[in-house]
Amino acid sequence: VSTSQHASMTAHSTRPPSVPAPAHDGAALATVALAQFLLALDYSVIYVALPSIARDLGLGAAMAQWVVSAYAVFFAGFLMVGGRLADRVGARRLFLVAITLFGIASAVGGAAGSGAVLLTARAGQGVGAALLQPAVLGLIGTTFPAGPSRSRALAVWGSVGASGLAIGALLGGVLTATSWRLTFLINVPLAVPCAIGAVRWFGRGGDAGAPPPVPALASMLGTATALALVLALTFGGDQGWDATATLVTLGLALLLTAALVVNERTASKVLVEHALRRIRSLWSGIAATALYMASVGSEFYLVTLLVQSEKGYTPAQAGGAFFPLAVMVAIGSMAAGRAVRGMVGGRDYGASQFNRATDAMRQPGSSFKPYVYATALEHGLTPSSIVVDAPICIGNWCPHNY
């Protein structure tokens, strides 16, 4: 997911934004900050609820992980399409569509009476979040002029995301103690003011511009590839690696991967622009992020299963146990930028934090010892140090221009 998010924020031009800042900068900033908070909250609030969801809807261990995977696969598959759509239809319009879709999917998930409905709602949340993230960044780039105003907006965007992660872990336990459905329904009252704020505080000027092509086929191939691979891993863990379902889905994943590679090499509408493929630091950041998310990035999911399924924590206790972990993530995220620039190069620092985190994860014993909170600090430090070392653009706007 992080790999796709990183690539989706790149672009083929560095033309500065032409949309003037609105008269009410504070209200506009509050709107995009609330939307970013919603995305971060939804990431962490669901984990504590997973065991309760599985028991209530009769989901086995293999199916329960799809509550996370359904969101992640569709988020990854549509994120780069969201970036193109923000350029094509305008960040404001895309923001309204995305926040509406996200709110509706959250309401459906909260009312779900079966695993199929819940997983469909999670996929809808993933698509909504994939469209919302580039819309938020696009609104920042086209609304706040270069200089202190944009720097402040980006600082708020980053700190709000870290706060949402920390609060979500604790709030998930509190809400699940009443009902796991509230972890979905909490999104609805947050989505409504975001939509109202977008209509009121953002002008239509950002909706103009030369529309870039939308790589619909490439996005579908990418999403289908990720979906088939996750299915193969699910069947492999549940039925065995020599089971027919495992072999069929693994073979399908390989075929889809080949089709995606061919499409990226020959098609005119591709997920990753050809010019970007020559940027070495971008690929280094993508590789480091992929390795990070495939290893220590899964800690929230594993710790949830450990403390509730194995150690008998109640949802409220699990939420409280997660809170110091999430706070350390927030501290690490806020400290990373200054630490990277002031101490060592981003690439070396990111590698050192990754190594320390994986070393701590290998330690035996209970998950809630001091070294595990240290791994949470690395959760904040590592991705930020990766991002510092790679160029990122949003649509036609690049942060390095300010």
Side-chain angles (χ1 to χ4, degrees):
V1 173
S2 293
T3 301
S4 297
Q5 181 178 3
H6 188 279
S8 77
M9 294 190 291
T10 53
H12 28 276
S13 171
T14 59
R15 181 166 55 92
S18 58
V19 180
H24 303 279
D25 279 356
L29 181 56
T31 299
V32 294
L34 181 59
Q36 184 61 35
F37 178 83
L38 176 61
L39 290 175
L41 180 73
D42 189 67
Y43 173 83
S44 58
V45 76
I46 197 68
Y47 282 102
V48 175
L50 282 175
S52 299
I53 293 172
R55 286 193 302 269
D56 193 20
L57 299 183
L59 303 178
M63 285 301 295
Q65 62 90 18
W66 274 96
V67 176
V68 175
S69 296
Y71 178 98
V73 167
F74 282 87
F75 181 84
F78 283 87
L79 190 58
M80 284 185 279
V81 171
R84 303 289 181 84
L85 286 174
D87 283 341
R88 189 177 184 88
V89 305
R92 176 180 177 271
R93 288 179 184 151
L94 185 64
F95 184 95
L96 288 170
V97 171
I99 200 67
T100 301
L101 174 59
F102 192 87
I104 292 174
S106 298
V108 172
S114 67
V117 173
L118 181 68
L119 295 183
T120 301
R122 286 292 285 167
Q125 283 185 309
V127 174
L131 302 180
L132 185 59
Q133 183 69 89
V136 167
L137 292 169
L139 286 174
I140 292 175
T142 58
T143 300
F144 298 93
S149 178
R150 186 178 297 161
S151 298
R152 173 173 169 263
L154 289 171
V156 171
W157 171 74
S159 61
V160 163
S163 299
L165 178 66
I167 294 173
L170 180 61
L171 187 60
V174 174
L175 295 176
T176 305
T178 301
S179 173
W180 63 264
R181 298 181 185 277
L182 294 178
T183 60
F184 287 87
L185 297 177
I186 189 64
N187 295 328
V188 178
L190 296 178
V192 171
C194 287
I196 296 173
V199 172
R200 182 167 184 180
W201 304 119
F202 294 101
R204 298 178 181 272
D207 296 343
V214 177
L217 176 59
S219 177
M220 288 188 289
L221 285 172
T223 303
T225 300
L227 190 63
L229 181 59
V230 175
L231 276 172
L233 295 174
T234 302
F235 287 136
D238 190 43
Q239 302 181 19
W241 295 104
D242 58 348
T244 301
T246 304
L247 297 176
V248 168
T249 51
L250 187 58
L252 180 61
L254 293 174
L255 289 175
L256 289 170
T257 299
L260 178 62
V261 171
V262 171
N263 182 80
E264 288 293 290
R265 287 186 173 181
T266 60
S268 59
K269 300 178 182 179
V270 295
L271 282 178
V272 182
E273 292 293 336
H274 296 285
L276 296 178
R277 302 173 191 178
R278 295 190 291 270
I279 302 176
R280 291 184 60 187
S281 59
L282 176 63
W283 288 108
S284 299
I286 288 174
T289 306
L291 290 171
Y292 167 79
M293 290 303 297
S295 53
V296 294
S298 63
E299 185 175 19
F300 270 70
Y301 178 75
L302 296 175
V303 171
T304 291
L305 298 181
L306 173 69
V307 299
Q308 292 193 69
S309 300
E310 298 296 328
K311 297 191 175 297
Y313 281 35
T314 66
Q317 289 173 328
F322 262 108
F323 187 64
L325 190 79
V327 168
M328 294 300 288
V329 173
I331 294 173
S333 178
M334 290 183 286
R338 182 176 299 177
V340 170
R341 291 183 175 90
M343 295 171 58
V344 293
R347 184 183 303 112
D348 295 337
Y349 189 70
S352 69
Q353 302 311 318
F354 180 87
N355 291 334
R356 288 173 60 192
T358 51
D359 286 343
M361 288 289 287
R362 288 196 295 266
Q363 298 294 328
S366 170
S367 285
F368 289 100
K369 288 185 176 180
Y371 64 76
V372 175
Y373 293 126
T375 73
L377 180 63
E378 316 302 357
H379 278 306
L381 293 170
T382 305
S384 299
S385 58
I386 290 170
V387 170
V388 165
D389 209 37
I392 299 177
C393 302
I394 307 164
N396 290 324
W397 166 76
C398 291
H400 59 253
N401 287 337
Y402 74 85

